[in-house]
Amino acid sequence: QQQVKQSPQSLIVQKGGISIINCAYENTAFDYFPWYQQFPGKGPALLIAIRPDVSEKKEGRFTISFNKSAKQFSLHIMDSQPGDSATYFCAARGRTYKYIFGTGTRLKVLA
Amino acid sequence: NAGVTQTPKFQVLKTGQSMTLQCAQDMNHEYMSWYRQDPGMGLRLIHYSVGAGITDQGEVPNGYNVSRSTTEDFPLRLLSAAPSQTSVYFCASRRLAGEPGNEQFFGPGTRLTVL
């Protein structure tokens, strides 16, 4: 019930393409869904987050799509750039203060 | 404003040794937590605290102790290091007032190797 499943494990995209990373959760008590970006040797940093009362949130080239009935959410990176090459983690949190993280997706954007 | 700081950056221990990983934040955040990051497993919560004097266990607490005597500091103690504790450790903090959307800030990490 506490798992967050993330796919794919790795992703290679051409510059200018769309990167899509998917996550699925089980616990319907989760009410906050952030995405984190992590560069090698650094700590994760919040990229964008959504609450389940909206189906989409967009910030620049980054969009979260949220499907409450399917218990799935995804990150779309439009016009992907080499500087977007990093590891991306989805996460979920309910009212217990605890974050549950996905296993991560290593994105490489080819120049 | 230094954010979340962690020391040391790297550490090598022998099996059975003990040590303390330090974490400090200067943002007056109530919530602090420790995660470990292992390849293919994402970040897993070890322990967390919602304020001075209050701590609780996460997903993988065995072999680790924490205490929170001040708002700023949240050290993680390894009592008797084991090779299975080889990992990268991250400390994080966030404000609790005004939840649920408060950003969680991570430190730069401590890379620990247990031989």
Side-chain angles (χ1 to χ4, degrees), chain A residues 9 31-32 36 38 41-46 51 87 89 93 96-104, chain B residues 31 35 37 40-43 45 48 50 57 59 90 94 96 99-104 106-108:
Chain A
Q9 277 191 326
D31 63 359
Y32 179 67
Y36 288 86
Q38 185 181 30
K42 304 291 186 183
L46 180 67
R51 295 194 64 190
T87 300
F89 293 96
R93 197 192 74 218
T96 63
Y97 303 114
K98 299 178 184 179
Y99 284 77
I100 306 298
F101 282 81
T103 51
Chain B
Y31 181 93
Y35 294 88
Q37 183 175 21
M41 302 190 75
L43 291 102
L45 182 66
Y48 67 97
V50 297
Q57 296 180 350
E59 299 174 71
F90 288 100
R94 76 175 194 268
L96 284 182
E99 287 279 74
N102 293 336
E103 181 176 350
Q104 180 168 226
F106 283 83

Tab-separated table of all heavy atoms in Angstrom, chain A residues 9 31-32 36 38 41-46 51 87 89 93 96-104, chain B residues 31 35 37 40-43 45 48 50 57 59 90 94 96 99-104 106-108:
chain	number	residue	atom	x	y	z
A	9	GLN	N	13.226	2.896	-15.948
A	9	GLN	CA	14.441	3.059	-15.147
A	9	GLN	C	15.396	4.042	-15.794
A	9	GLN	O	16.088	4.800	-15.118
A	9	GLN	CB	15.152	1.724	-14.993
A	9	GLN	CG	14.614	0.847	-13.889
A	9	GLN	CD	15.521	-0.332	-13.610
A	9	GLN	OE1	16.142	-0.868	-14.532
A	9	GLN	NE2	15.613	-0.736	-12.371
A	31	ASP	N	-1.784	12.754	-0.613
A	31	ASP	CA	-2.415	13.982	-1.077
A	31	ASP	C	-1.427	15.014	-1.593
A	31	ASP	O	-1.774	16.194	-1.767
A	31	ASP	CB	-3.284	14.589	0.035
A	31	ASP	CG	-2.475	14.995	1.253
A	31	ASP	OD1	-1.244	14.798	1.259
A	31	ASP	OD2	-3.082	15.515	2.207
A	32	TYR	N	-0.199	14.597	-1.842
A	32	TYR	CA	0.804	15.525	-2.357
A	32	TYR	C	1.801	14.715	-3.149
A	32	TYR	O	2.325	13.705	-2.651
A	32	TYR	CB	1.472	16.250	-1.183
A	32	TYR	CG	2.552	17.238	-1.572
A	32	TYR	CD1	2.245	18.401	-2.264
A	32	TYR	CD2	3.874	17.017	-1.210
A	32	TYR	CE1	3.230	19.314	-2.603
A	32	TYR	CE2	4.860	17.915	-1.541
A	32	TYR	CZ	4.539	19.060	-2.236
A	32	TYR	OH	5.520	19.960	-2.561
A	36	TYR	N	11.239	15.253	-8.065
A	36	TYR	CA	12.549	15.785	-7.723
A	36	TYR	C	13.528	15.510	-8.852
A	36	TYR	O	13.447	14.485	-9.538
A	36	TYR	CB	13.085	15.146	-6.429
A	36	TYR	CG	12.357	15.612	-5.201
A	36	TYR	CD1	11.188	14.986	-4.783
A	36	TYR	CD2	12.830	16.690	-4.457
A	36	TYR	CE1	10.510	15.418	-3.654
A	36	TYR	CE2	12.160	17.126	-3.327
A	36	TYR	CZ	11.001	16.481	-2.938
A	36	TYR	OH	10.332	16.918	-1.825
A	38	GLN	N	17.692	15.266	-9.638
A	38	GLN	CA	18.972	15.091	-8.954
A	38	GLN	C	20.106	14.982	-9.971
A	38	GLN	O	20.097	14.109	-10.834
A	38	GLN	CB	18.962	13.842	-8.077
A	38	GLN	CG	20.227	13.663	-7.256
A	38	GLN	CD	20.199	12.401	-6.417
A	38	GLN	OE1	19.581	11.411	-6.795
A	38	GLN	NE2	20.868	12.436	-5.283
A	41	GLY	N	26.186	13.693	-7.724
A	41	GLY	CA	26.917	14.272	-6.612
A	41	GLY	C	26.160	15.321	-5.832
A	41	GLY	O	26.716	15.944	-4.924
A	42	LYS	N	24.889	15.517	-6.158
A	42	LYS	CA	24.075	16.528	-5.477
A	42	LYS	C	22.871	15.887	-4.816
A	42	LYS	O	22.503	14.750	-5.120
A	42	LYS	CB	23.582	17.571	-6.487
A	42	LYS	CG	24.689	18.256	-7.275
A	42	LYS	CD	25.513	19.150	-6.401
A	42	LYS	CE	26.519	19.936	-7.233
A	42	LYS	NZ	27.394	20.785	-6.371
A	43	GLY	N	22.254	16.631	-3.914
A	43	GLY	CA	21.008	16.176	-3.334
A	43	GLY	C	19.841	16.454	-4.269
A	43	GLY	O	19.921	17.310	-5.141
A	44	PRO	N	18.731	15.712	-4.112
A	44	PRO	CA	17.537	15.985	-4.931
A	44	PRO	C	17.018	17.392	-4.666
A	44	PRO	O	17.156	17.925	-3.563
A	44	PRO	CB	16.540	14.933	-4.440
A	44	PRO	CG	17.361	13.881	-3.771
A	44	PRO	CD	18.528	14.598	-3.180
A	45	ALA	N	16.404	17.967	-5.684
A	45	ALA	CA	15.798	19.290	-5.558
A	45	ALA	C	14.398	19.238	-6.140
A	45	ALA	O	14.176	18.608	-7.186
A	45	ALA	CB	16.632	20.345	-6.268
A	46	LEU	N	13.453	19.890	-5.458
A	46	LEU	CA	12.077	19.897	-5.927
A	46	LEU	C	11.979	20.544	-7.295
A	46	LEU	O	12.483	21.648	-7.518
A	46	LEU	CB	11.192	20.648	-4.938
A	46	LEU	CG	9.715	20.738	-5.316
A	46	LEU	CD1	9.067	19.356	-5.279
A	46	LEU	CD2	8.974	21.702	-4.396
A	51	ARG	N	-1.242	18.504	-6.340
A	51	ARG	CA	-2.192	17.918	-5.418
A	51	ARG	C	-3.289	17.243	-6.221
A	51	ARG	O	-3.547	17.619	-7.371
A	51	ARG	CB	-2.748	18.998	-4.494
A	51	ARG	CG	-1.696	19.595	-3.586
A	51	ARG	CD	-2.331	20.383	-2.489
A	51	ARG	NE	-3.137	19.515	-1.629
A	51	ARG	CZ	-3.960	19.945	-0.701
A	51	ARG	NH1	-4.118	21.244	-0.513
A	51	ARG	NH2	-4.651	19.112	0.042
A	87	THR	N	18.759	12.450	-12.853
A	87	THR	CA	17.867	11.410	-12.358
A	87	THR	C	16.629	12.082	-11.770
A	87	THR	O	16.738	13.063	-11.024
A	87	THR	CB	18.556	10.543	-11.295
A	87	THR	OG1	19.706	9.919	-11.891
A	87	THR	CG2	17.614	9.457	-10.788
A	89	PHE	N	12.996	11.642	-9.648
A	89	PHE	CA	12.253	10.822	-8.689
A	89	PHE	C	10.847	11.372	-8.522
A	89	PHE	O	10.669	12.571	-8.318
A	89	PHE	CB	12.918	10.842	-7.314
A	89	PHE	CG	14.256	10.174	-7.256
A	89	PHE	CD1	15.423	10.908	-7.376
A	89	PHE	CD2	14.346	8.801	-7.056
A	89	PHE	CE1	16.662	10.299	-7.313
A	89	PHE	CE2	15.581	8.191	-6.990
A	89	PHE	CZ	16.745	8.934	-7.121
A	93	ARG	N	3.099	11.720	-0.656
A	93	ARG	CA	3.035	11.936	0.788
A	93	ARG	C	1.591	12.093	1.219
A	93	ARG	O	0.783	12.702	0.508
A	93	ARG	CB	3.806	13.201	1.167
A	93	ARG	CG	4.142	13.287	2.667
A	93	ARG	CD	4.635	14.648	3.032
A	93	ARG	NE	3.532	15.601	3.058
A	93	ARG	CZ	3.634	16.856	2.630
A	93	ARG	NH1	4.763	17.314	2.136
A	93	ARG	NH2	2.604	17.658	2.705
A	96	THR	N	0.991	11.631	7.088
A	96	THR	CA	1.863	11.033	8.110
A	96	THR	C	3.260	11.648	8.116
A	96	THR	O	4.140	11.118	8.775
A	96	THR	CB	2.021	9.518	7.863
A	96	THR	OG1	2.661	9.328	6.590
A	96	THR	CG2	0.674	8.820	7.865
A	97	TYR	N	3.497	12.726	7.395
A	97	TYR	CA	4.796	13.379	7.273
A	97	TYR	C	5.805	12.595	6.438
A	97	TYR	O	6.859	13.106	6.124
A	97	TYR	CB	5.450	13.637	8.648
A	97	TYR	CG	4.612	14.449	9.594
A	97	TYR	CD1	4.107	13.879	10.764
A	97	TYR	CD2	4.334	15.776	9.338
A	97	TYR	CE1	3.352	14.632	11.635
A	97	TYR	CE2	3.579	16.530	10.210
A	97	TYR	CZ	3.087	15.948	11.367
A	97	TYR	OH	2.341	16.687	12.245
A	98	LYS	N	5.506	11.364	6.097
A	98	LYS	CA	6.502	10.536	5.405
A	98	LYS	C	6.345	10.645	3.894
A	98	LYS	O	5.247	10.540	3.362
A	98	LYS	CB	6.341	9.072	5.807
A	98	LYS	CG	6.539	8.810	7.285
A	98	LYS	CD	6.303	7.331	7.585
A	98	LYS	CE	6.393	7.067	9.068
A	98	LYS	NZ	6.154	5.641	9.373
A	99	TYR	N	7.484	10.812	3.212
A	99	TYR	CA	7.520	10.748	1.762
A	99	TYR	C	7.872	9.322	1.338
A	99	TYR	O	8.772	8.711	1.896
A	99	TYR	CB	8.609	11.672	1.208
A	99	TYR	CG	8.277	13.140	1.209
A	99	TYR	CD1	8.328	13.873	2.379
A	99	TYR	CD2	7.939	13.788	0.036
A	99	TYR	CE1	8.040	15.229	2.378
A	99	TYR	CE2	7.654	15.143	0.017
A	99	TYR	CZ	7.701	15.855	1.194
A	99	TYR	OH	7.421	17.195	1.193
A	100	ILE	N	7.170	8.820	0.327
A	100	ILE	CA	7.516	7.552	-0.308
A	100	ILE	C	8.013	7.884	-1.707
A	100	ILE	O	7.288	8.526	-2.489
A	100	ILE	CB	6.314	6.603	-0.396
A	100	ILE	CG1	5.691	6.402	0.988
A	100	ILE	CG2	6.745	5.274	-0.995
A	100	ILE	CD1	6.600	5.758	2.008
A	101	PHE	N	9.240	7.452	-2.012
A	101	PHE	CA	9.862	7.781	-3.290
A	101	PHE	C	9.778	6.622	-4.274
A	101	PHE	O	9.831	5.451	-3.886
A	101	PHE	CB	11.337	8.146	-3.087
A	101	PHE	CG	11.553	9.534	-2.565
A	101	PHE	CD1	11.416	9.815	-1.213
A	101	PHE	CD2	11.884	10.564	-3.424
A	101	PHE	CE1	11.609	11.097	-0.728
A	101	PHE	CE2	12.087	11.857	-2.953
A	101	PHE	CZ	11.945	12.119	-1.606
A	102	GLY	N	9.678	6.963	-5.565
A	102	GLY	CA	9.887	5.980	-6.614
A	102	GLY	C	11.359	5.644	-6.718
A	102	GLY	O	12.207	6.262	-6.065
A	103	THR	N	11.677	4.680	-7.566
A	103	THR	CA	13.041	4.176	-7.650
A	103	THR	C	13.939	5.009	-8.560
A	103	THR	O	15.133	4.756	-8.648
A	103	THR	CB	13.054	2.726	-8.122
A	103	THR	OG1	12.257	2.630	-9.303
A	103	THR	CG2	12.484	1.791	-7.056
A	104	GLY	N	13.376	5.998	-9.252
A	104	GLY	CA	14.182	6.914	-10.042
A	104	GLY	C	14.262	6.549	-11.514
A	104	GLY	O	14.178	5.377	-11.893
B	31	TYR	N	10.497	20.189	10.585
B	31	TYR	CA	10.634	18.806	10.137
B	31	TYR	C	12.030	18.567	9.588
B	31	TYR	O	12.513	19.311	8.733
B	31	TYR	CB	9.594	18.518	9.047
B	31	TYR	CG	9.598	17.111	8.514
B	31	TYR	CD1	8.760	16.141	9.058
B	31	TYR	CD2	10.410	16.737	7.457
B	31	TYR	CE1	8.734	14.846	8.567
B	31	TYR	CE2	10.407	15.455	6.961
B	31	TYR	CZ	9.568	14.505	7.518
B	31	TYR	OH	9.557	13.228	7.047
B	35	TYR	N	17.461	10.102	4.878
B	35	TYR	CA	17.196	9.106	3.860
B	35	TYR	C	18.514	8.420	3.499
B	35	TYR	O	19.584	9.001	3.608
B	35	TYR	CB	16.669	9.747	2.578
B	35	TYR	CG	15.314	10.402	2.681
B	35	TYR	CD1	15.184	11.735	3.065
B	35	TYR	CD2	14.160	9.690	2.365
B	35	TYR	CE1	13.941	12.333	3.133
B	35	TYR	CE2	12.917	10.286	2.434
B	35	TYR	CZ	12.818	11.602	2.820
B	35	TYR	OH	11.579	12.191	2.891
B	37	GLN	N	20.122	6.464	0.013
B	37	GLN	CA	19.891	6.271	-1.411
B	37	GLN	C	20.794	5.154	-1.903
B	37	GLN	O	22.021	5.248	-1.806
B	37	GLN	CB	20.165	7.555	-2.207
B	37	GLN	CG	19.873	7.417	-3.683
B	37	GLN	CD	20.033	8.720	-4.451
B	37	GLN	OE1	20.704	9.645	-4.015
B	37	GLN	NE2	19.393	8.808	-5.596
B	40	GLY	N	18.938	1.817	-7.747
B	40	GLY	CA	17.725	1.088	-8.097
B	40	GLY	C	16.662	1.045	-7.016
B	40	GLY	O	15.621	0.404	-7.192
B	41	MET	N	16.908	1.750	-5.882
B	41	MET	CA	15.938	1.683	-4.783
B	41	MET	C	15.393	3.046	-4.380
B	41	MET	O	14.636	3.155	-3.421
B	41	MET	CB	16.562	0.985	-3.580
B	41	MET	CG	17.051	-0.418	-3.894
B	41	MET	SD	17.514	-1.347	-2.442
B	41	MET	CE	15.889	-1.740	-1.799
B	42	GLY	N	15.787	4.064	-5.059
B	42	GLY	CA	15.284	5.389	-4.726
B	42	GLY	C	15.796	5.855	-3.375
B	42	GLY	O	16.859	5.439	-2.913
B	43	LEU	N	15.032	6.715	-2.734
B	43	LEU	CA	15.381	7.202	-1.403
B	43	LEU	C	14.452	6.545	-0.390
B	43	LEU	O	13.229	6.542	-0.571
B	43	LEU	CB	15.223	8.720	-1.314
B	43	LEU	CG	16.236	9.515	-2.113
B	43	LEU	CD1	15.619	10.032	-3.393
B	43	LEU	CD2	16.774	10.667	-1.304
B	45	LEU	N	13.313	6.362	3.682
B	45	LEU	CA	13.325	7.140	4.916
B	45	LEU	C	13.841	6.298	6.080
B	45	LEU	O	13.346	5.194	6.322
B	45	LEU	CB	11.903	7.638	5.201
B	45	LEU	CG	11.695	8.509	6.421
B	45	LEU	CD1	12.424	9.836	6.259
B	45	LEU	CD2	10.194	8.753	6.647
B	48	TYR	N	12.779	10.373	11.144
B	48	TYR	CA	12.389	11.754	10.945
B	48	TYR	C	12.015	12.382	12.277
B	48	TYR	O	11.826	11.691	13.291
B	48	TYR	CB	11.238	11.873	9.937
B	48	TYR	CG	9.922	11.295	10.399
B	48	TYR	CD1	8.936	12.116	10.951
B	48	TYR	CD2	9.649	9.941	10.258
B	48	TYR	CE1	7.728	11.594	11.365
B	48	TYR	CE2	8.446	9.414	10.670
B	48	TYR	CZ	7.483	10.238	11.209
B	48	TYR	OH	6.286	9.719	11.624
B	50	VAL	N	9.664	15.875	13.905
B	50	VAL	CA	8.765	17.004	13.645
B	50	VAL	C	9.018	18.162	14.604
B	50	VAL	O	8.268	19.145	14.603
B	50	VAL	CB	7.281	16.581	13.690
B	50	VAL	CG1	6.993	15.565	12.588
B	50	VAL	CG2	6.917	16.017	15.050
B	57	GLN	N	10.392	6.583	13.576
B	57	GLN	CA	11.054	5.715	12.617
B	57	GLN	C	10.444	5.854	11.231
B	57	GLN	O	9.246	6.093	11.074
B	57	GLN	CB	10.937	4.257	13.072
B	57	GLN	CG	11.641	3.970	14.369
B	57	GLN	CD	11.506	2.509	14.775
B	57	GLN	OE1	10.741	1.750	14.190
B	57	GLN	NE2	12.260	2.103	15.781
B	59	GLU	N	11.080	3.924	7.092
B	59	GLU	CA	10.993	2.589	6.496
B	59	GLU	C	12.107	1.648	6.937
B	59	GLU	O	11.915	0.447	7.058
B	59	GLU	CB	11.081	2.680	4.963
B	59	GLU	CG	10.015	3.470	4.269
B	59	GLU	CD	10.339	3.589	2.792
B	59	GLU	OE1	10.242	2.559	2.082
B	59	GLU	OE2	10.723	4.698	2.350
B	90	PHE	N	21.216	11.220	2.823
B	90	PHE	CA	20.754	12.588	2.648
B	90	PHE	C	19.912	13.002	3.848
B	90	PHE	O	19.049	12.259	4.304
B	90	PHE	CB	19.917	12.724	1.382
B	90	PHE	CG	20.706	12.642	0.114
B	90	PHE	CD1	20.744	11.462	-0.607
B	90	PHE	CD2	21.422	13.729	-0.345
B	90	PHE	CE1	21.483	11.370	-1.781
B	90	PHE	CE2	22.170	13.649	-1.513
B	90	PHE	CZ	22.203	12.465	-2.228
B	94	ARG	N	11.986	20.631	6.141
B	94	ARG	CA	10.927	21.468	5.563
B	94	ARG	C	10.115	22.097	6.685
B	94	ARG	O	10.105	21.631	7.822
B	94	ARG	CB	10.009	20.666	4.638
B	94	ARG	CG	9.006	19.768	5.301
B	94	ARG	CD	8.096	19.134	4.250
B	94	ARG	NE	6.926	18.515	4.838
B	94	ARG	CZ	6.848	17.237	5.212
B	94	ARG	NH1	7.893	16.450	5.077
B	94	ARG	NH2	5.749	16.763	5.711
B	96	LEU	N	6.647	22.966	8.533
B	96	LEU	CA	5.398	22.229	8.676
B	96	LEU	C	4.182	23.142	8.612
B	96	LEU	O	3.144	22.751	8.104
B	96	LEU	CB	5.378	21.461	10.002
B	96	LEU	CG	6.231	20.197	10.056
B	96	LEU	CD1	6.064	19.516	11.416
B	96	LEU	CD2	5.862	19.242	8.941
B	99	GLU	N	1.166	23.354	5.615
B	99	GLU	CA	1.194	22.136	4.817
B	99	GLU	C	-0.086	22.035	3.987
B	99	GLU	O	-1.099	22.643	4.304
B	99	GLU	CB	1.302	20.922	5.744
B	99	GLU	CG	2.661	20.766	6.363
B	99	GLU	CD	3.659	20.101	5.429
B	99	GLU	OE1	4.096	20.759	4.490
B	99	GLU	OE2	3.989	18.937	5.673
B	100	PRO	N	-0.132	21.237	2.916
B	100	PRO	CA	0.828	20.170	2.617
B	100	PRO	C	1.873	20.521	1.581
B	100	PRO	O	2.699	19.682	1.255
B	100	PRO	CB	-0.075	19.066	2.082
B	100	PRO	CG	-1.134	19.812	1.342
B	100	PRO	CD	-1.358	21.087	2.128
B	101	GLY	N	1.914	21.711	1.074
B	101	GLY	CA	2.742	21.982	-0.092
B	101	GLY	C	4.131	22.504	0.175
B	101	GLY	O	4.784	22.984	-0.746
B	102	ASN	N	4.633	22.419	1.397
B	102	ASN	CA	5.931	23.008	1.679
B	102	ASN	C	7.072	22.206	1.069
B	102	ASN	O	7.115	20.982	1.172
B	102	ASN	CB	6.146	23.110	3.188
B	102	ASN	CG	5.191	24.093	3.808
B	102	ASN	OD1	4.689	24.985	3.153
B	102	ASN	ND2	4.922	23.920	5.083
B	103	GLU	N	7.994	22.926	0.456
B	103	GLU	CA	9.112	22.292	-0.219
B	103	GLU	C	10.045	21.632	0.764
B	103	GLU	O	10.332	22.164	1.835
B	103	GLU	CB	9.888	23.335	-1.018
B	103	GLU	CG	11.081	22.773	-1.790
B	103	GLU	CD	11.773	23.812	-2.638
B	103	GLU	OE1	11.210	24.923	-2.776
B	103	GLU	OE2	12.862	23.533	-3.156
B	104	GLN	N	10.536	20.449	0.404
B	104	GLN	CA	11.517	19.718	1.190
B	104	GLN	C	12.895	20.009	0.594
B	104	GLN	O	13.109	19.789	-0.599
B	104	GLN	CB	11.207	18.223	1.169
B	104	GLN	CG	12.179	17.370	1.956
B	104	GLN	CD	11.688	15.945	2.149
B	104	GLN	OE1	11.752	15.405	3.238
B	104	GLN	NE2	11.214	15.330	1.072
B	106	PHE	N	16.958	19.318	0.488
B	106	PHE	CA	17.924	18.268	0.773
B	106	PHE	C	19.329	18.846	0.946
B	106	PHE	O	19.694	19.830	0.304
B	106	PHE	CB	17.963	17.242	-0.359
B	106	PHE	CG	16.804	16.284	-0.343
B	106	PHE	CD1	15.593	16.634	-0.916
B	106	PHE	CD2	16.932	15.032	0.233
B	106	PHE	CE1	14.523	15.754	-0.908
B	106	PHE	CE2	15.874	14.138	0.245
B	106	PHE	CZ	14.665	14.497	-0.327
B	107	GLY	N	20.119	18.188	1.791
B	107	GLY	CA	21.532	18.488	1.894
B	107	GLY	C	22.304	17.841	0.752
B	107	GLY	O	21.730	17.127	-0.066
B	108	PRO	N	23.631	18.058	0.700
B	108	PRO	CA	24.434	17.546	-0.409
B	108	PRO	C	24.795	16.071	-0.301
B	108	PRO	O	25.323	15.494	-1.249
B	108	PRO	CB	25.698	18.405	-0.332
B	108	PRO	CG	25.797	18.767	1.103
B	108	PRO	CD	24.393	18.924	1.587
